[in-house]
Amino acid sequence: MLIFETVILLLLAGALLATLAKRLRAPYPALLALAGTGGALVPGLPEVTLDPELALALFVAPTLLDAAYDASPRDLKANWRPVGGLVLVCVLCTAFAVAWVARLIEPGLPWAAAIALGAIVAPPDASAAAAVLRQLRPPHRVLVILEGESLLNDATALLLFRVAVGAAMGGAVSGWQVVPLLLLTCGGGALFGIAAAWVWLRLSMHREDLAVAVLVQFLGTFAVWLLAERLGLSAIITMVAYAMTIARLAPSRIGGKERIASYAVWEVAVFVLNLLAFILIGLQLRGILDRLGGWQWRDVGFAAAACAVVILMRFAWVMGYVFVARLGKRTERSPTIAGGIVISWCGMRGIVTLAAALALPEDFPYRDLILLTAFAVALVTLVLQGLSLRWLLERLGLPDDGGVEREVALARQATARAALEVLHAAPPGRAAEVLQREYLARLSPAEGGGEDLAGLQRQAVAAQRRVLAALRSYGTIGDDAFHVIEEEIDLLDLTADPRIRDLKARPEG
């Protein structure tokens, strides 16, 4: 009962901190990291442990699906060089640099355990950075690179983590084993994720109960992750392929009411999981410090060195890439120094680092030191970089390129024209006239604000969905513009639901 009450109180504190972070216009994980540290200093709080096999599935699977669902394959393809460099080269270089420095400071640390530590702290969590950057409207390309990196760098790091943990726990791993393992886990994971998405869509169609539909989404997410793990595939790649396939196929098969409810539930779920990750680490810190003999300067120096390496390695790679890319002929897509500085500073570690640290087996060599270091890296990067990111971006003055807004305007006009074609073909009547005025207003702000209004609305909405899907399919618009217009069409779809109209028409009181 004490643990339950403690978690409830800490969740409430986390919610209040998130509200404060919004007022301060700062990423809420930064304040959560500080709260987790403070929780370790509060006397009487119990130490809570989590099954290591559960950590990655519980914390990473839903948050990764939520991020991958909104990813734009078109934009990722256009920026594959910078994204690929961050995902592969930067992550691997950071992991091995951290391992090398860790061995210098703690010679007794086995190489496999040192590499596992490097893999844990190597992948940044760009969601915190993106939350801040979206408020400031930087160039869209900066956001695309950061979000693409956060989707795929976890796969590189966790594959290395998996190999290192296996070696540290007694298994011998050779270079000849790693290459087939990489091909099998990543390639097989992508194929399995696509197949699982098709199966899920078949099983989940025509569900009328919203609660059941959203529950099935969560069950499907965990089932796909666990099955990928059982088959020896990359659960990260599987989840990314699964989410991106659903994002492509589901919009035409799921109604607006279900989608709006689903988005709201997922937003809350991801928020709670972030809170729980920091709470669990905070509740374990006291036990970790006790087992390490308190705050030892050697341990503090070990964690500080890891923090310095992850920050400096990212700067070295990103700015080196920018310098080399600017040596040739410059175009509109050439990286800028200001953009490179922003991306370099967006190296905050978050839920994946914490979940991977919690996933270490209980008898893993130097487990407590690695847990302490992982939390220290997350804390320092979130606080130092997260709280200063807004100030940095304002000083650099990176303007929004307006690309998403132009695509939103294009999609809004195209979908409104599709709806008007349906309405012009309908029998004349008051309902058709009202809807025509509404859609004319979407074509031009200067204009205006089938006898069955709901029936005509549903036909118009269906026409808009078809055109919007085609615009994205042909690459005319990206996924950011797609989701903006999709949300607008979903709201129109709700007005076509007789039950919603009846509620709106019901007199108050």
Side-chain angles (χ1 to χ4, degrees):
M1 189 65 178
L2 176 61
I3 293 177
F4 176 75
E5 292 173 347
T6 301
V7 171
I8 292 296
L9 288 174
L10 291 174
L11 283 175
L12 176 60
L16 295 175
L17 285 173
T19 303
L20 176 62
K22 188 172 183 180
R23 291 187 177 182
L24 297 175
R25 302 170 76 184
Y28 73 85
L31 298 188
L32 292 181
L34 289 172
T37 306
L41 305 177
V42 176
L45 288 183
E47 181 180 356
V48 179
T49 58
L50 183 69
D51 183 354
E53 294 184 359
L54 177 62
L56 289 174
L58 176 62
F59 293 119
V60 178
T63 54
L64 184 63
L65 181 135
D66 184 61
Y69 188 89
D70 293 330
S72 173
R74 183 202 68 169
D75 293 337
L76 289 176
K77 182 179 178 181
N79 295 280
W80 69 269
R81 285 189 180 89
V83 171
L86 289 169
V87 165
L88 292 174
V89 183
C90 189
V91 166
L92 292 176
C93 288
T94 302
F96 285 106
V98 169
W100 179 70
V101 171
R103 287 268 303 172
L104 286 178
I105 300 174
E106 187 62 60
L109 183 68
W111 267 111
I115 293 173
L117 168 62
I120 288 171
V121 300
D125 179 8
S127 59
V132 177
L133 292 175
R134 285 188 181 278
Q135 299 173 9
L136 301 175
R137 300 169 64 86
H140 181 59
R141 187 167 183 246
V142 171
L143 284 174
V144 169
I145 292 172
L146 289 172
E147 291 171 349
E149 177 198 9
S150 68
L151 282 181
L152 302 172
N153 61 7
D154 300 337
T156 304
L158 291 181
L159 177 62
L160 182 61
F161 172 80
R162 178 178 170 183
V163 172
V165 169
M169 299 304 290
V173 180
S174 67
W176 293 106
Q177 293 174 307
V178 172
V179 174
L181 180 65
L182 177 66
L183 295 176
L184 173 64
T185 58
C186 295
L191 293 175
F192 179 68
I194 294 171
W198 280 94
V199 172
W200 182 86
L201 286 170
R202 290 283 184 181
L203 295 177
S204 62
M205 288 177 62
H206 310 302
R207 293 193 183 276
E208 298 294 334
D209 192 324
L210 281 179
V212 173
V214 176
L215 177 61
V216 168
Q217 291 178 14
F218 278 94
L219 294 177
T221 300
F222 290 119
V224 169
W225 180 281
L226 295 174
L227 280 173
E229 288 283 350
R230 289 281 188 271
L231 295 172
L233 305 175
S234 169
I236 295 284
I237 294 294
T238 299
M239 192 55 57
V240 170
Y242 174 75
M244 294 180 76
T245 303
I246 289 178
R248 288 283 160 174
L249 301 177
S252 60
R253 307 184 184 200
I254 297 176
K257 185 170 66 173
E258 180 180 339
R259 183 162 32 250
I260 290 173
S262 172
Y263 285 179
V265 173
W266 274 95
E267 184 176 359
V268 173
V270 170
F271 173 68
V272 170
L273 289 173
N274 272 280
L275 290 179
L276 285 175
F278 284 97
I279 287 171
L280 286 172
I281 283 285
L283 292 178
Q284 292 190 49
L285 273 180
R286 178 180 294 277
I288 291 171
L289 292 173
D290 289 342
R291 290 189 293 272
L292 290 173
W295 291 100
Q296 301 290 334
W297 283 111
R298 187 181 185 87
D299 298 334
V300 173
F302 186 93
C307 294
V309 171
V310 298
I311 293 173
L312 293 176
M313 283 299 299
R314 185 174 179 86
F315 256 103
W317 169 256
V318 174
M319 298 312 295
Y321 175 87
V322 170
F323 176 76
V324 172
R326 289 172 63 85
L327 291 178
K329 183 179 180 181
R330 298 183 187 178
T331 65
E332 292 182 356
R333 301 197 63 79
S334 297
T336 63
I337 294 176
I341 293 174
V342 170
I343 293 174
S344 298
W345 200 240
C346 291
M348 291 90 87
R349 272 60 179 174
I351 193 169
V352 173
T353 290
L354 299 181
L358 291 170
L360 287 171
E362 292 291 342
D363 55 346
F364 193 81
Y366 289 81
R367 184 179 191 269
D368 288 331
L369 179 59
I370 292 174
L371 276 170
L372 178 65
T373 304
F375 184 77
V377 170
L379 173 66
V380 170
T381 55
L382 283 169
V383 173
L384 176 63
Q385 296 178 318
L387 297 182
S388 60
L389 182 58
R390 174 179 293 275
W391 175 87
L392 176 66
L393 194 61
E394 289 174 347
R395 294 300 178 275
L396 292 174
L398 280 174
D400 183 9
D401 53 16
V404 174
E405 287 72 16
R406 289 191 294 271
E407 292 180 357
V408 166
L410 185 154
R412 182 176 289 122
Q413 292 182 358
T415 53
R417 289 193 186 97
L420 284 171
E421 289 178 5
V422 172
L423 297 175
H424 286 317
R430 178 64 179 170
E433 292 176 4
V434 170
L435 283 177
Q436 284 177 12
R437 285 198 297 270
E438 290 183 8
Y439 285 108
L440 284 171
R442 289 170 64 83
L443 277 174
S444 172
E447 296 184 38
E451 300 296 331
D452 184 357
L453 180 62
L456 287 175
Q457 181 74 305
R458 283 193 292 269
Q459 293 178 48
V461 164
Q464 290 181 94
R465 291 198 192 282
R466 288 194 297 271
V467 171
L468 183 61
L471 289 172
R472 185 174 68 167
S473 177
Y474 291 127
T476 307
I477 63 173
D479 281 51
D480 287 292
F482 176 88
H483 289 301
V484 170
I485 301 302
E486 182 187 55
E487 183 179 1
E488 295 179 5
I489 296 175
D490 286 342
L491 294 174
L492 292 171
D493 197 3
L494 286 180
T495 66
D497 189 330
R499 290 168 294 181
I500 302 296
R501 290 202 327 277
D502 291 344
L503 287 175
K504 288 183 177 181
R506 191 175 300 163
E508 296 183 1

